[in-house]
Amino acid sequence: MPYALVKQQLEVRVSARVVELFHTGTRVASPVRSRLKGRHRTVAAHMPTAHRPYVAWPPQRLSRWAADSGAATAQLVATIRASRPHPQQGFRSC
């Protein structure tokens, strides 16, 4: 959903293929659902501008940075990444 609507009440309509989000009766998003159970998709336009550059980062970028910092940092980053269902969800924690 668009980040500007976080903590706002939305109406959600879900079909087998699409999720539609409505705010005060106006459709604000209609992303296609992921075909993989338990997975999600991120629409860059729905993210805050400051977060968009991180979408292009490969998860290995953090691992390389952590390894350069030291073994303990590398282990911490590996643990954080392994605990998240989607790699980018751990970027901020790392």
Side-chain angles (χ1 to χ4, degrees):
M1 73 178 223
Y3 76 95
L5 296 175
V6 170
K7 298 186 180 181
Q8 299 292 316
Q9 187 168 357
L10 301 176
E11 179 183 342
V12 180
R13 295 182 192 163
V14 180
S15 72
R17 209 171 114 53
V18 177
V19 177
E20 293 181 289
L21 302 168
F22 295 84
H23 182 253
T24 62
T26 303
R27 185 169 68 181
V28 293
S30 58
V32 175
R33 294 179 68 174
S34 173
R35 294 180 185 185
L36 303 173
K37 185 176 181 173
R39 301 295 292 196
H40 71 278
R41 294 180 176 198
T42 300
V43 177
H46 293 172
M47 299 173 69
T49 306
H51 292 191
R52 291 180 191 165
Y54 303 113
V55 172
W57 283 15
Q60 297 77 13
R61 180 177 176 164
L62 284 176
S63 296
R64 286 192 305 269
W65 165 81
D68 289 345
S69 296
T73 305
Q75 180 58 47
L76 177 60
V77 167
T79 300
I80 291 170
R81 286 185 52 209
S83 71
R84 304 302 200 281
H86 195 277
Q88 281 79 4
Q89 290 177 341
F91 281 11
R92 185 172 179 174
S93 298
C94 291

